Amino acid sequence: NLFKAVVSTQSTGEAGMPGNAGMPGRDGVNGRKGYPGNPGPTGVDGKRGANGEPGAQGPPGLAGYSPTRANAGPPGYPGKKGPRGDRGLTGYTGAPGFEGECGDIGPPGTIDGDISALAGAPGDPGQAGAKGKTLDSEYSQIQVYAFHSQTNTHMACPSGMLEIRRGFSFLYFDSSTGTGHGVPLSREGSCLSSFSIQPMLECTTKYCEVKGDDSSLWMPVGDIPEGSAAGMYYPSDELIVDESDPNDQTETVLKYISRCTVCESPSVVFAIHSFTNIDPSCPDKWEELWSGFSLIMG
């Protein structure tokens, strides 16, 4: 298009009044995203929230390792000597001793100190003696003994004795502290009514404790079949003794444990050792119950 530029040659007039405000313009285009601001200051610690609900029960943990002597701690120091116990009860009155042997014949007596006495005629028979003492008398001496069969069947009490109970032949208990406890085989404490691999507990004045490395020793059966060696007859593998375990082998173990019988005796029983390979004979006025082999317990 063509246009002309026209320049006025007239003089300029006075400025007019300001015009009215124009209409608002349209919204501008959104600006670009600004740069991240600087980190603000650390806020004040909030209050502790309420406790949550208990979680569900977790699965059972793995079985722990059984303690052994290798990782057991050292033995503790010996305890102080305890106070003196109360005086025990008075024991039973002992049985009368055996009648002594007759003494040598004395010299003839004298009359008035100087005339030799002559032997007199036999005297009349004396009166009957008093009735002998019975087991109900104050002179009876009841003894209790344990007899071990060395088989898996119980033996009968010897003649004249009364059976009290039956059980299993117990020898020795080895504790985790290195101390041991045994009972003489003749005592009723060596014949336990029930079998347990831990028949004892170690107790203080405050509590009793069972430890996993305690062990007990029991008398085995001795009736090994002829032609079998002991190492082949007795089981060589470890057997589980735990009624709660499905693989419990207590019944198998009991086949190799000796049985015992506790008997009440009206007299004392002694064991006599010959120190040879020949059975000793009983002293005069003593009756033999059986003969066997000498056992020493540490």
Side-chain angles (χ1 to χ4, degrees):
N1 295 326
L2 300 176
F3 67 91
K4 294 181 179 180
V6 179
V7 178
S8 177
T9 58
Q10 295 180 357
S11 61
T12 302
E14 295 178 357
M17 298 295 292
N20 295 328
M23 298 296 292
R26 290 177 295 177
D27 293 338
V29 181
N30 292 336
R32 290 179 296 176
K33 183 177 181 181
Y35 295 103
N38 295 326
T42 302
V44 181
D45 292 340
K47 295 182 180 180
R48 180 175 178 178
N51 294 333
E53 296 294 331
Q57 183 176 355
L62 299 176
Y65 294 101
S66 299
T68 62
R69 288 193 179 276
N71 55 29
Y77 294 103
K80 296 180 180 180
K81 183 177 181 180
R84 183 172 181 178
D86 298 331
R87 182 175 180 179
L89 301 177
T90 304
Y92 295 106
T93 304
F98 296 110
E99 181 179 357
E101 300 293 336
C102 294
D104 298 331
I105 299 177
T110 59
I111 300 177
D112 294 334
D114 57 350
I115 301 177
S116 298
L118 300 176
D124 296 330
Q127 297 180 351
K131 186 177 180 180
K133 300 292 182 180
T134 66
L135 290 180
D136 297 328
S137 74
E138 61 179 348
Y139 297 105
S140 63
Q141 189 174 13
I142 301 299
Q143 302 288 332
V144 178
Y145 296 100
F147 297 94
H148 305 271
S149 68
Q150 291 183 272
T151 68
N152 54 16
T153 58
H154 296 89
M155 64 180 293
C157 290
S159 177
M161 297 187 186
L162 176 66
E163 179 178 318
I164 298 178
R165 59 179 172 83
R166 297 178 175 184
F168 302 88
S169 302
F170 171 70
L171 291 177
Y172 195 77
F173 181 77
D174 185 20
S175 69
S176 59
T177 58
T179 59
H181 309 280
V183 181
L185 290 176
S186 61
R187 300 291 298 273
E188 63 273 21
S190 67
C191 185
L192 301 186
S193 300
S194 59
F195 174 77
S196 171
I197 59 175
Q198 290 183 318
M200 298 184 184
L201 297 177
E202 290 188 84
C203 300
T204 66
T205 57
K206 296 182 179 179
Y207 60 89
C208 294
E209 186 176 10
V210 178
K211 297 185 178 179
D213 55 351
D214 293 343
S215 60
S216 57
L217 280 71
W218 300 78
M219 178 181 290
V221 296
D223 53 346
I224 300 176
E226 185 177 356
S228 297
M232 299 175 60
Y233 177 71
Y234 297 114
S236 58
D237 298 331
E238 293 186 353
L239 302 179
I240 299 175
V241 181
D242 185 356
E243 295 181 357
S244 63
D245 193 310
N247 298 320
D248 178 47
Q249 296 171 289
T250 302
E251 293 300 323
T252 301
V253 173
L254 293 181
K255 293 194 301 183
Y256 301 98
I257 303 298
S258 169
R259 303 303 196 269
C260 53
T261 307
V262 177
C263 306
E264 184 181 272
S265 171
S267 59
V268 179
V269 175
F270 289 103
I272 300 175
H273 304 271
S274 67
F275 290 91
T276 67
N277 57 359
I278 301 175
D279 294 333
S281 57
C282 290
D284 188 24
K285 299 182 179 180
W286 287 82
E287 180 182 352
E288 178 180 323
L289 296 179
W290 76 81
S291 59
F293 301 89
S294 303
L295 172 66
I296 297 179
M297 289 184 61

